Amino acid sequence: MAYKFIDLFCGAGGFSKGLEMAGFECIGGIELKEVISKTHQLNHKKSKTIFGDIREVPPEKFAEIIGTNHVDVIIGGPPCPTFSTIGDAKIRSVTGKPTSEDPRNQLFLEYLKYVDYFRPDIFVIENVPNFITKYKGAIFNTAVEIIENIGKDDEGNGEGIYEVEKPVQVVNAVYYGVPQTRRRMMLVAHKKSGVKFSYPQPTHFYDQDDEDSKKLKPCTTVQDAIGDLPDITDNWRISEMPYSKNRGLTEFQKIMRASGNGKTVKNNICRMSNDRAKRVFPHMAQGSKYMDLPPEIRQILPFREDIFQDRLKRLVLKEPSWTVIAHIGMDGYMYIHPTENRTLSVREAARIQSFPDDFEFVGNQQETYVQVGNAVPPLLGKAIGESLMTYLEANIKGGN
């Protein structure tokens, strides 16, 4: 039987999908926004995904919903707006309060309540790299301390049952076949068993400076990722379409299409860019950004140039994409198609995040873009999942 896991703060389910690709079974998820929970449920048939605030759903109630209090693995990424540089500035400007007072900084405590209740063999907290250093490491160190005290009594007596695998790693998705540079912290903790967890070794070469890495597979590029997807235009509204190419597929394209019907793919909708943006796009070379444009071209679509120097960026066909973020739901100007004068479609963005083509997003255009941008790339999740599987199998062989 497959090892079973639950996904807290599951979002659309990129991390869940990755673990399923590694051989795990998702039996439950919890998501704050209803439309996103519908996406997770649609794509994880055996999961009982609930729409709700984790602060109002105690783990005992969650166990009743999923029908068990036994899970092998817990994964999740507590929302992290105040850990990122952009989020920090935005929250200060809106609330006028230090971000250390933002209640969302405490959501990882809710995650750990679930760990304390379910006592999985191993669990993963995914977050931005700044989780480790923000507030001089106070939140990170508190998280580690709480994890290492699980199992002790209220007075702190006894021995904790978990250890955090150190050093906690920051991994880059591009090293695992994702056509995108995306750095994420993965904090892994497991029961004290004498078996160590090993983070996945990179499989692809991008910018590593050691000689061994240069022998790996070449990184997956934007062209590798989207070159076979349907031919569309700006403001495209037909979701399900046939592929534009069926021969000479890249390894990545074959992986993305493996579980689909092989003929059509959904979520091909593309936003309509405004007329001024469409006048600017033809002046942008691959890899160029807003401030690379001549002043007279910038005036067609003016922004504050001291703040928005890379407000527009055109992707490079033969390089990985830069990080896809939730802001793609607003206008997509940071993700202009490498060769066409439009922004990426939802499916193209999903491919750059490494979502397989049979993964369908529920919601309106903006909601689906945001779901893609907020996700853990499934191929990164798969790499982590394979390491989790190795750890669990080693425990069984060791008689634990």
Side-chain angles (χ1 to χ4, degrees):
M1 295 180 63
Y3 292 108
K4 294 175 170 55
F5 72 93
I6 58 174
D7 190 348
L8 310 179
F9 313 99
C10 63
F15 208 172
S16 293
K17 185 62 179 179
L19 260 68
E20 288 189 339
M21 293 168 77
F24 289 85
E25 180 182 316
C26 182
I27 61 171
I30 184 167
E31 166 54 41
L32 181 61
K33 295 185 178 180
E34 185 173 15
V35 69
I36 303 177
S37 70
K38 290 179 178 178
T39 294
H40 189 276
Q41 183 64 76
L42 176 65
N43 293 282
H44 302 89
K45 306 298 186 185
K46 295 183 179 180
S47 171
K48 292 184 178 178
T49 306
I50 64 172
F51 151 56
D53 187 333
I54 194 172
R55 292 169 292 191
E56 299 172 1
V57 183
E60 296 85 355
K61 180 178 179 181
F62 189 82
E64 290 180 9
I65 293 170
I66 65 174
T68 182
N69 60 3
H70 172 78
V71 296
D72 301 295
V73 180
I74 295 179
I75 62 172
C80 54
T82 67
F83 300 139
S84 66
T85 304
I86 295 175
D88 184 86
K90 182 178 179 181
I91 289 170
R92 279 182 175 273
S93 67
V94 171
T95 67
K97 296 180 179 180
T99 53
S100 58
E101 296 179 13
D102 191 290
R104 287 170 293 185
N105 280 342
Q106 306 303 314
L107 286 173
F108 76 89
L109 295 176
E110 301 298 328
Y111 178 106
L112 294 177
K113 287 180 183 177
Y114 272 64
V115 171
D116 193 16
Y117 176 80
F118 285 101
R119 302 284 175 93
D121 291 321
I122 191 166
F123 62 91
V124 185
I125 298 177
E126 174 269 338
N127 220 297
V128 294
N130 275 1
F131 184 92
I132 299 173
T133 57
K134 199 70 172 179
Y135 313 129
K136 298 181 179 179
I139 291 178
F140 173 78
N141 291 332
T142 298
V144 171
E145 182 179 356
I146 293 172
I147 291 168
E148 293 178 343
N149 279 311
I150 292 175
K152 295 182 180 180
D153 63 24
D154 293 339
E155 284 73 41
N157 299 316
E159 185 175 353
I161 64 173
Y162 286 107
E163 60 179 322
V164 175
E165 198 65 56
K166 299 174 182 176
V168 171
Q169 296 288 304
V170 174
V171 297
N172 193 335
V174 74
Y175 298 158
Y176 303 95
V178 179
Q180 170 193 176
T181 57
R182 188 186 194 95
R183 298 173 70 250
R184 304 299 291 182
M185 178 209 76
M186 296 286 175
L187 185 157
V188 179
H190 51 79
K191 288 181 177 177
K192 296 176 180 177
S193 63
V195 176
K196 304 294 286 183
F197 172 83
S198 296
Y199 285 90
Q201 292 297 308
T203 55
H204 291 68
F205 172 73
Y206 176 56
D207 61 357
Q208 302 96 308
D209 56 10
D210 61 289
E211 290 301 316
D212 287 340
S213 293
K214 295 177 182 179
K215 301 174 185 176
L216 300 174
K217 296 178 182 179
C219 63
T220 307
T221 67
V222 171
Q223 184 174 35
D224 294 333
I226 68 174
D228 66 319
L229 288 178
D231 293 325
I232 64 171
T233 64
D234 183 83
N235 195 31
W236 195 267
R237 286 291 173 267
I238 302 173
S239 174
E240 185 169 0
M241 292 185 62
Y243 292 100
S244 64
K245 178 182 177 182
N246 289 299
R247 295 182 179 179
L249 301 179
T250 65
E251 179 184 0
F252 180 85
Q253 290 163 6
K254 291 176 182 177
I255 293 171
M256 294 298 98
R257 294 167 67 156
S259 55
N261 64 24
K263 298 178 180 179
T264 61
V265 60
K266 297 181 180 180
N267 292 124
N268 289 291
I269 59 173
C270 182
R271 66 166 46 84
M272 179 175 63
S273 301
N274 70 45
D275 290 338
R276 289 185 298 166
K278 285 187 279 191
R279 288 167 56 196
V280 171
F281 290 169
H283 296 276
M284 300 193 69
Q286 293 184 31
S288 67
K289 59 183 184 296
Y290 183 69
M291 289 304 294
D292 294 330
L293 295 166
E296 63 271 21
I297 302 300
R298 298 201 299 272
Q299 286 307 304
I300 297 173
L301 187 66
F303 295 103
R304 277 193 59 182
E305 297 184 357
D306 59 331
I307 297 177
F308 299 111
Q309 295 190 5
D310 61 352
R311 188 65 181 79
L312 277 70
K313 294 177 72 175
R314 188 186 283 278
L315 293 164
V316 180
L317 201 60
K318 295 187 177 181
E319 291 284 339
S321 170
W322 36 87
T323 305
V324 176
I325 59 176
H327 186 82
I328 196 173
M330 300 302 294
D331 55 41
Y333 289 160
M334 290 183 67
Y335 309 96
I336 303 169
H337 192 283
T339 59
E340 299 179 17
N341 292 320
R342 62 175 177 82
T343 58
L344 295 178
S345 71
V346 173
R347 178 51 60 188
E348 288 166 339
R351 274 283 190 92
I352 288 173
Q353 278 277 59
S354 75
F355 277 97
D357 291 353
D358 66 337
F359 196 104
E360 185 176 353
F361 297 88
V362 178
N364 63 33
Q365 177 180 270
Q366 183 177 20
E367 289 168 339
T368 53
Y369 274 118
V370 169
Q371 289 173 49
V372 172
N374 271 335
V376 174
L379 284 186
L380 175 58
K382 178 175 181 284
I384 296 294
E386 288 170 346
S387 289
L388 294 172
M389 186 71 74
T390 297
Y391 170 85
L392 291 168
E393 293 295 326
N395 263 325
I396 288 178
K397 291 177 181 177
N400 294 303

